[in-house]
């Protein structure tokens, strides 16, 4: 620490040494920390290359940056930002802030596959020092902007993944509960990189500061004890105070070893890049400005300074191909990603606007920036201020009592009236009395916290206390209403010229809809394709967007897309402005949505988890959305390969459904079937014949999957036989199947009936045996479930299944029927819901349509089973004679033999015979006559 300014902080060192001796009863660790902080400040202040320490989204840093840039007018600005993001910064003028600079990689080479996709974002707001530096450098002729931080590739190279959130901007000491709003997810799961992450890494230190500062969270402490005091400070005071804070946090709690190593490597990286640039260009360090976080400004690495003793060896990047672009951001997204308190960024934006008016510092804005006035930075010509020797400003700042701002009653009264008006609009029963209560409570809370002027956080607490009652009547609570009133959640937008080619192409192709697609919110699009055929191209784009983008970006209200059908009318709800980030990230994958869709379909078909069902789905999507016969044939060939490698039947139902649909489409739209689908049917026939015996006995194979296999074999049988398959293979597979499960057993019986090995009479006999066996009756619903699933491969058994169910209800008594009736219903609902309409339609055809006809109705299966003589007797003499006794004489003979009676059966005459019993036993009738005569 030798030099001409060696004694700059001598007085401050002496005071701190005396304080450490007094408080710690002698020199020790406290003295080393306090004096080390002064050494860090002294070292950074005396560096020939001026270091400008900042804190992200700090209005004080932004004001100080704008003021210093106009005074110094540096020729080179070194900025702590990923060096590979430099080409994107010129596109900021085409955007409305806040936005985020993003580096994105979908395919990784050199990183674990589970990390994909890789995404790094750097949010930029107008109230940030980095934006002031960028605007000055880009709009001032002769000024060069150099990004010196590690590249996006190095971010993940140095990342241990488990500590990623701790390194790159997440809250190290616990989040301040960011809002769970839709806008908070604009950055997705990207890694955040920002300039100047200043927060204690020692939980006890942060808790101590919050408790003694009488604040709730870190954002409020920073606003009260850093933002307000530094808002009007001069440049030297600002620099030294920010360096002091960065060194304090660094020395008290450096954090875990991995994080410290990454921080120091970043500092070595940045100083190495700056020295390389100075050597290559010959620029004088006095004409440069190094903008970095205050934490890194107080660095103690050996590579520090333009005269650093060591040179850091920067490793090469991986072969990962990175795409760069701008995505929309918001205050809520920044707060959520970096663990800031809800509303803190919005309050910072409000403080920034107030400081600009109060200090009259002209900020820098990019020329043509959306939503801002034209900047006059290029016209401002100021004389270069000579560099003065640094002086001690810390002593005066630390000893100066806090400046007491007088209460701005007009501002506080306006806040109180406005929050009551907002509360009433959102369903609260607020009145003028509540406005007065909020006004007085804000002043009271500020006084209790040793503040002469209520801060926005004091006002927020007062509003919650006075207005919010037991419940929140609307979607927003009072705390959220205050955040909106203080500035709201500003959501950025990327302009058309800054969009990637794919996004611009989508907007161009949808211009026929006459909608402002760049606006946020939902817009309704009506497509009358019949009268305006040109809208069919818009329909194609919308269906592809629905496939590729998140749910809600493009949602069809009316209309659907099916194979072989052409759209007539459609209605859509579009929110492309709300999901602009997703549309931009599609642009990282290709130059058109057709290319991106084709890549994703190929990725799905050739992925390690691909099954025959998923590949067939990709074939259908390629035909449906791209109308590409070439891609469909390629993916169909891939489906054939995947099917041959499968050893399970899990995807059999989906394979059957999609193959049937594709066959129906090709048969109606193509002169001949594609070769791949013929090969698929042929290979699938042999494949499922081979797996059928095992599937019948496998406990993991469900009855639905086995039924789908049989459905494939029976429905594709004619085509497979015409292609050279042998039916004997199917017969042998069925003969070798020996299931134990009742549902699979019934399914096997249906297959045997379809092959002709089992007749309808045999099926009825087996069902009768099941109903006649008390031990099997509880499992009868499972047999019925198997028969229901058999309708998939053998739809001709529909009437038999109705008969089996009806016989069960007719024959079983209620004590037996009622216990397994719920099992039957749940089995049919869970396993055969799609087949239930077949049963209902068949039952409607068989059963009588009127209730009066039900008494005389005879089921057709019973009508076929009874002898002809019995049927004719029942129909001729219905309700006369003992028909049941005559139809079953064996029972009567057994009872007569048991009673010791002998006799023969008489043949009934065709005419009426009267009461034969009275003629055989006249004594009873005579006694009855005598009794009646006596009366």
């Amino acid at each position: 620490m030798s030099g001409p300014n060696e004694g700059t902080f001598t007085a401050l060192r002496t005071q701190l040494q005396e304080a450490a001796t007094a408080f710690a009863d002698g020199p020790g660790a406290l003295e080393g920390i306090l004096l080390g902080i002064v050494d860090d400040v002294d070292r950074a202040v005396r560096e020939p290359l001026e270091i400008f320490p900042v804190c992200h989204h700090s209005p004080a840093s932004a004001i100080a940056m704008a003021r210093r840039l106009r005074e110094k007018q540096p020729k080179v600005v070194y900025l702590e930002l990923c060096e590979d993001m430099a080409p994107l910064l010129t596109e900021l003028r085409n955007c409305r802030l806040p936005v985020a600079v993003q580096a994105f990689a979908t395919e990784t080479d050199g990183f674990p596959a589970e990390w994909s996709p890789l995404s790094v974002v750097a949010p930029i707001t107008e109230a940030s020092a980095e934006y002031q530096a960028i605007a000055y450098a880009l709009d001032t002729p002769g000024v060069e902007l150099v990004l010196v931080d590690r590249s996006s590739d190095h971010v993940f190279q140095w990342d241990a993944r488990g500590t990623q959130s701790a390194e790159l901007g997440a809250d190290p000491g616990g989040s301040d509960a960011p809002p769970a709003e839709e806008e908070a997810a604009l950055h997705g799961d990207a890694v955040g990189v920002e300039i100047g992450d200043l927060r204690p890494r020692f939980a006890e230190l942060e808790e101590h500061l919050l408790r003694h500062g009488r604040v709730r969270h870190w954002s409020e402490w920073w606003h009260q004890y850093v933002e307000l005091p530094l808002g009007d400070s001069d440049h030297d005071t600002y620099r030294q105070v920010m360096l002091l804070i960065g060194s304090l946090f660094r020395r008290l709690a450096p954090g875990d070893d991995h994080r410290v190593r990454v921080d120091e490597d970043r500092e070595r990286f940045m100083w190495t890049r700056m020295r390389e640039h100075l050597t290559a260009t010959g620029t004088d360090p006095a004409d440069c400005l190094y903008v970095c976080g205050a934490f890194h400004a107080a660095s103690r690495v050996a590579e520090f300074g333009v005269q650093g003793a060591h040179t850091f060896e920067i490793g090469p990047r991986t072969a990962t191909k990175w795409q760069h672009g701008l995505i929309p951001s918001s205050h809520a997204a920044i707060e959520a990603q970096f663990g800031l308190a809800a509303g803190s960024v919005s309050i910072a934006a409000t403080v920034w606007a107030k400081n600009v008016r109060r200090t009259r510092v002209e900020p820098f804005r990019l020329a043509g920036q959306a939503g801002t006035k034209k900047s006059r930075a290029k016209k401002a010509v100021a004389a270069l201020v000579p560099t003065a020797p640094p002086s001690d400003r810390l002593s005066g700042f630390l000893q100066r009592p806090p400046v007491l701002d007088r209460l701005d009653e007009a501002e506080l009264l306006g806040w109180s009236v406005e929050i009551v008006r907002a509360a009433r609009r959102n369903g609260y029963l607020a009145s003028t009395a509540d406005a007065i209560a909020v006004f007085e409570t804000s002043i009271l809370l500020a006084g209790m916290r040793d503040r002469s002027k209520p801060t926005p956080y004091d006002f927020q607490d007062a509003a919650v206390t006075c207005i919010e009652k037991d419940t929140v009547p609307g979607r927003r609570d009072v705390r959220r209403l205050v955040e909106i009133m203080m500035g709201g959640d500003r959501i950025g937008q990327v302009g058309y010229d800054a969009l990637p080619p794919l996004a611009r192409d989508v907007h161009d192709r949808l211009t026929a809809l006459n909608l402002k697609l760049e606006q946020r919110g939902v817009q309704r699009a009506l497509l009358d394709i019949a009268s305006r055929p040109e809208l069919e191209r818009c329909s194609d784009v919308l269906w592809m967007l629905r496939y590729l983008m998140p749910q809600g970006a493009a949602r069809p209200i009316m209309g659907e897309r099916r194979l072989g059908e052409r759209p007539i009318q459609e209605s859509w709800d579009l929110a492309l402005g709300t999901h602009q980030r997703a549309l931009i990230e599609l642009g990282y994958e290709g130059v058109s949505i057709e290319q991106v869709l084709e890549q994703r379909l190929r990725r799905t078909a050739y992925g390690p988890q691909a099954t025959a069902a998923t590949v067939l789905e990709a074939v259908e999507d390629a035909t449906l959305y791209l109308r590409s016969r070439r891609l469909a044939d390629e993916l169909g060939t891939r489906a054939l390969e995947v099917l041959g490698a499968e050893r399970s039947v899990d995807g059999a139902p989906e394979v059957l459904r999609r193959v049937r649909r594709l066959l129906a489409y090709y048969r109606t739209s193509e002169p001949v079937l594609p070769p791949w689908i013929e090969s698929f049917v042929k290979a699938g026939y042999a494949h499922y014949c081979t797996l059928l015996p095992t599937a019948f006995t496998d406990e993991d194979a469900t009855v639905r999957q086995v039924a789908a296999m049989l459905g494939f074999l029976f429905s594709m049988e004619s085509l497979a036989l015409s292609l050279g398959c042998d039916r004997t293979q199917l017969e042998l597979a069925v003969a070798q199947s020996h299931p134990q499960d009742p549902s699979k057993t019934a399914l096997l019986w249906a297959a045997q009936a379809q092959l002709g090995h089992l007749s309808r009479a045999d099926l009825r006999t087996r069902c009768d045996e099941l109903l006649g066996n008390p031990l099997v009756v509880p499992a009868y619903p499972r047999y019925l479930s198997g028969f229901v699933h058999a309708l998939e491969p053998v739809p001709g058994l529909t009437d038999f299944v109705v008969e089996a169910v009806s016989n069960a209800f007719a024959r079983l008594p209620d004590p037996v029927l009622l216990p397994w009736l719920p099992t039957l219903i749940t089995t049919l609902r869970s396993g055969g819901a799609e087949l239930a309409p077949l049963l209902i339609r068949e039952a409607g055809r068989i059963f009588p349509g009127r209730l009066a006809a039900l008494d005389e109705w005879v089921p057709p299966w019973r009508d076929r089973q009874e002898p002809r003589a019995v049927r004719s007797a029942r129909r001729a003499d219905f309700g006369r004679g003992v028909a049941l006794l005559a139809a079953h004489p064996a029972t009567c003979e057994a009872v007569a033999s048991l009673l010791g009676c002998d006799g023969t059966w008489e043949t009934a005459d065709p005419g009426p015979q009267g009461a034969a019993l009275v003629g055989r036993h006249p004594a009873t009738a005579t006694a009855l006559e005598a009794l009646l005569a006596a009366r």
Side-chain angles (χ1 to χ4, degrees):
M1 294 291 179
S2 61
N5 303 305
E6 186 176 1
T8 301
F9 295 98
T10 301
L12 181 60
R13 285 192 180 93
T14 304
Q15 295 178 12
L16 293 179
Q17 188 174 10
E18 294 175 355
T21 303
F23 285 106
D25 297 331
L30 179 59
E31 180 182 359
I33 293 175
L34 295 178
L35 297 183
I37 292 174
V38 179
D39 292 340
D40 292 340
V41 175
D42 193 12
R43 182 186 188 189
V45 167
R46 291 191 292 109
E47 173 60 34
L49 174 59
E50 182 177 338
I51 302 173
F52 195 95
V54 299
C55 175
H56 62 245
H57 308 304
S58 167
S61 294
I63 288 291
M65 173 62 71
R67 183 188 293 116
R68 183 56 179 168
L69 288 174
R70 295 198 179 278
E71 293 175 354
K72 183 181 177 73
Q73 295 188 8
K75 297 179 180 179
V76 178
V77 177
Y78 297 113
L79 184 62
E80 180 194 336
L81 199 61
C82 293
E83 58 183 1
D84 55 329
M85 295 181 175
L88 288 174
L89 299 182
T90 57
E91 297 294 339
L92 288 175
R93 66 180 76 254
N94 298 319
C95 305
R96 184 174 66 243
L97 300 180
V99 296
V101 186
Q102 182 182 38
F104 192 86
T106 54
E107 298 180 0
T108 60
D109 187 353
F111 301 107
E114 59 270 14
W115 290 15
S116 179
L118 305 179
S119 180
V120 179
V121 297
I124 297 177
T125 63
E126 186 178 358
S128 60
E130 55 263 42
Y131 176 73
Q132 294 300 309
I134 292 171
Y136 164 79
L138 295 183
D139 280 354
T140 305
V143 176
E144 183 179 4
L145 177 65
V146 182
L147 306 186
V148 295
D149 200 3
R150 55 182 175 166
S151 66
S152 303
D153 197 89
H154 286 95
V155 169
F156 288 94
Q157 284 190 35
W158 298 353
D159 180 24
R161 203 62 180 177
T163 56
Q164 168 184 315
S165 60
E167 300 172 19
L168 301 172
D171 181 6
S175 174
D176 284 337
E181 299 283 342
E182 175 187 355
E183 291 77 9
L186 287 179
H187 296 172
D189 55 355
V191 174
V193 177
E194 272 192 303
I195 297 177
D197 177 23
L198 275 185
R199 186 161 186 166
R201 299 183 181 179
F202 189 33
E204 286 78 4
L205 173 61
E206 181 173 341
E207 181 182 357
H208 177 83
L209 293 176
L210 298 183
R211 183 175 67 254
H212 288 274
R214 300 181 181 181
V215 294
R216 294 168 300 164
H217 44 68
W218 177 251
S219 300
E220 185 177 359
W221 186 93
W222 183 267
H223 173 85
Q224 178 67 24
Y225 294 99
V226 179
E227 285 294 332
L228 296 182
L230 291 182
D232 295 329
S233 62
D234 59 89
H235 171 64
D236 290 338
T237 302
Y238 168 83
R239 280 186 68 199
Q240 294 176 20
V241 171
M242 292 295 288
L243 290 170
L244 172 70
I245 296 174
S247 178
L248 175 67
F249 292 164
R250 188 172 191 132
R251 287 183 174 272
L252 287 183
D256 60 89
D257 295 338
H258 175 76
R259 185 171 183 180
V260 171
R261 184 171 63 255
V262 170
D263 286 334
E264 292 180 348
D265 284 346
R266 290 180 64 187
E267 294 156 4
R268 296 185 179 99
F269 189 105
M270 290 187 285
W271 280 110
T272 301
R273 288 297 192 218
M274 286 186 286
R275 286 201 296 267
E276 290 175 353
H277 182 268
L278 291 173
T279 303
T281 60
T283 307
D284 186 359
D287 296 333
C288 303
L289 186 68
Y290 172 33
V291 182
C292 67
F295 188 88
H296 298 296
S299 174
R300 301 191 304 273
V301 297
E303 293 80 1
F304 181 89
V306 294
Q307 304 296 332
H310 296 80
T311 299
F312 180 64
E313 183 178 353
I314 299 175
R317 303 181 188 180
T318 66
T320 300
K321 295 181 179 180
W322 291 88
Q323 303 287 335
H324 297 83
L326 297 170
I327 63 173
S329 183
S330 68
H331 293 170
I334 297 172
E335 294 159 359
Q337 186 171 29
F338 296 95
L340 304 176
S344 59
V345 179
S346 299
I347 293 176
T350 303
V351 174
W352 155 257
K354 185 184 299 184
N355 288 348
V356 169
R357 293 192 300 267
R358 181 167 52 86
T359 61
R360 296 184 180 180
V361 173
E362 183 181 0
F364 290 92
R365 294 186 176 93
L366 287 171
Q369 181 83 57
T372 62
K373 299 180 181 179
K374 185 176 181 180
S375 174
R376 297 194 298 269
K378 292 188 291 186
K379 299 180 181 179
V381 178
L384 183 63
V385 178
T387 303
S391 60
D392 180 12
R393 300 297 181 90
L394 278 179
S395 299
F397 181 83
L398 296 177
Q399 296 176 1
R400 185 180 63 195
V403 179
L404 299 179
D405 294 337
R406 64 181 184 84
L407 174 64
D408 189 345
E409 294 187 358
E411 180 187 52
L412 183 59
L413 185 60
W415 287 356
S416 303
V417 173
E418 183 62 29
I419 189 58
V420 169
R421 183 183 294 112
R424 291 182 64 86
R425 286 197 302 264
N426 285 268
Y428 288 93
L429 300 178
S431 62
T432 305
D434 293 309
I436 299 173
V438 172
F439 180 86
E440 298 294 341
T441 307
S442 300
I443 299 175
L444 177 63
L445 287 177
M448 294 174 61
R449 295 167 179 173
D450 294 334
R451 303 170 187 170
S452 59
K453 177 182 178 181
T455 66
Y457 299 98
D458 298 326
F459 173 76
Q460 188 178 55
D461 291 342
V464 172
T465 303
C466 299
I467 297 178
E468 193 164 280
K469 304 301 186 291
D470 297 336
T471 60
V472 178
R475 188 170 64 93
R476 299 184 178 96
D477 57 6
V478 174
R479 188 174 303 278
R480 180 62 178 153
L481 294 178
V482 173
E483 295 169 10
I484 296 174
M485 189 193 71
M486 289 293 176
D489 183 20
R490 297 180 185 176
I491 302 173
Q493 182 183 21
V494 179
Y496 175 85
D497 295 331
L499 292 174
L502 180 143
R504 293 201 300 268
D505 180 62
V506 168
H507 282 269
D508 293 342
R509 295 166 67 177
L510 295 179
T511 52
L513 300 179
N514 297 322
L515 297 176
K516 296 181 179 180
L517 299 176
E518 66 278 359
Q519 292 183 355
R520 294 182 58 84
V522 179
Q523 302 180 69
R524 178 64 57 86
L526 303 176
L527 284 73
D528 188 1
I529 302 174
S531 60
R532 297 180 59 190
E534 67 274 9
L535 292 179
E536 185 174 356
R537 297 182 180 180
C538 297
S539 174
D540 295 338
V541 174
L542 293 177
W543 282 108
M544 285 187 282
L545 290 177
R546 178 179 180 270
Y547 183 91
L548 295 171
M549 295 188 66
Q551 184 179 7
R555 186 168 61 94
I557 303 302
M558 181 184 68
E560 58 183 350
R561 178 153 290 202
R562 293 182 178 180
L563 290 174
E565 296 183 2
R566 307 296 294 184
I568 299 176
Q569 286 184 337
E570 292 179 353
S571 176
W572 291 80
D573 275 351
L574 303 179
L576 298 183
T578 305
H579 296 84
Q580 192 181 51
R581 167 180 165 264
L583 182 61
I584 292 173
E585 291 184 350
L586 285 181
Y588 300 151
E589 303 182 42
V591 296
S592 66
I593 52 177
E594 288 83 0
Q595 180 186 2
V596 175
L597 181 55
E598 182 173 340
Q599 290 176 356
R600 290 200 181 181
L601 292 177
R602 280 202 176 93
R603 192 180 305 129
T604 301
Y606 290 92
Q609 305 298 327
T611 62
T614 56
V615 180
L616 286 176
E617 182 182 4
V619 174
E620 186 175 346
D621 292 337
T623 306
L624 197 61
Y625 299 114
L626 295 176
R627 298 189 179 96
S628 174
R629 176 66 182 274
R630 171 192 55 82
L631 181 61
D633 291 347
E634 176 188 342
L635 298 181
T637 305
R638 171 62 180 169
L640 182 61
E641 299 173 0
V642 175
L643 179 67
E646 287 184 348
R647 293 296 176 264
S648 66
V649 296
D650 296 342
E654 191 71 10
V655 169
L656 174 63
R657 185 169 63 89
R658 296 196 179 276
V659 167
R660 281 179 174 174
R661 195 152 54 203
L662 288 169
L663 271 175
Y665 168 72
Y666 286 128
R667 281 171 173 165
T668 56
S669 61
E670 300 286 344
V672 294
L673 292 178
W676 75 265
I677 200 167
E678 293 182 349
S679 302
F680 189 90
V681 171
K682 184 177 179 180
Y685 189 86
H687 178 72
Y688 285 133
C689 283
T690 304
L691 297 180
L692 188 61
T694 305
F696 265 114
T697 58
D698 188 4
E699 294 181 356
D700 295 332
T702 63
V703 62
R704 182 170 177 263
Q705 294 168 354
V706 179
M709 294 174 62
L710 290 173
F712 186 95
L713 294 172
F714 290 146
S715 61
M716 308 290 170
E717 185 177 15
S718 59
L719 179 57
L721 295 180
S722 66
L723 296 174
C725 294
D726 191 357
R727 194 170 193 263
T728 306
Q729 189 176 6
L730 175 58
E731 294 179 348
L732 290 175
V734 173
Q736 294 172 357
S737 302
H738 305 287
Q740 300 295 327
D741 184 73
S743 57
K744 292 182 181 179
T745 300
L747 190 60
L748 178 61
W749 292 348
Q752 292 173 347
Q754 177 69 12
L755 292 175
H757 299 165
L758 201 64
S759 63
R760 288 290 186 93
D762 295 333
L763 284 177
R764 290 190 180 93
T765 301
R766 294 186 180 185
C767 290
D768 291 340
E769 291 175 355
L770 294 176
L771 288 174
N773 190 345
L775 299 178
V776 183
V777 166
Y780 193 71
R782 301 180 62 186
Y783 284 94
L784 291 181
S785 175
F787 282 125
V788 171
H789 282 288
L791 299 181
E792 181 75 58
V794 191
L797 287 180
T798 307
D799 58 339
F800 173 78
V801 178
V802 174
E803 174 185 341
V805 176
S806 301
N807 284 335
F809 278 84
R811 292 180 54 180
L812 294 178
D814 289 347
V816 178
L817 181 64
L818 294 179
W820 63 256
L821 188 58
T823 306
L824 173 65
I825 296 174
T826 56
T827 302
L828 294 178
R829 177 178 296 179
S830 61
E834 67 278 3
L835 301 173
L838 295 176
L839 298 178
I840 297 174
R841 186 165 53 251
E842 182 66 18
R845 187 185 65 84
I846 294 176
F847 288 97
R850 296 183 179 181
L851 184 61
L854 186 61
D855 293 336
E856 299 182 359
W857 175 75
V858 178
W861 55 85
R862 183 175 298 175
D863 191 57
R864 290 192 299 267
Q865 292 173 356
E866 292 180 345
R868 182 177 302 175
V870 176
R871 292 199 303 269
S872 60
R874 173 181 298 161
R875 291 170 183 168
D877 304 319
F878 182 80
R880 187 174 60 198
V882 192
L884 184 62
L885 190 61
H888 302 281
T891 305
C892 185
E893 292 175 355
V895 174
S897 176
L898 183 63
L899 296 176
C901 300
D902 297 329
T904 59
W905 287 92
E906 296 182 359
T907 302
D909 295 333
Q913 304 212 352
L917 188 61
V918 178
R920 292 181 181 180
H921 304 281
T924 304
T926 304
L928 179 59
E929 182 184 6
L931 180 61
L932 293 175
R935 297 257 182 139

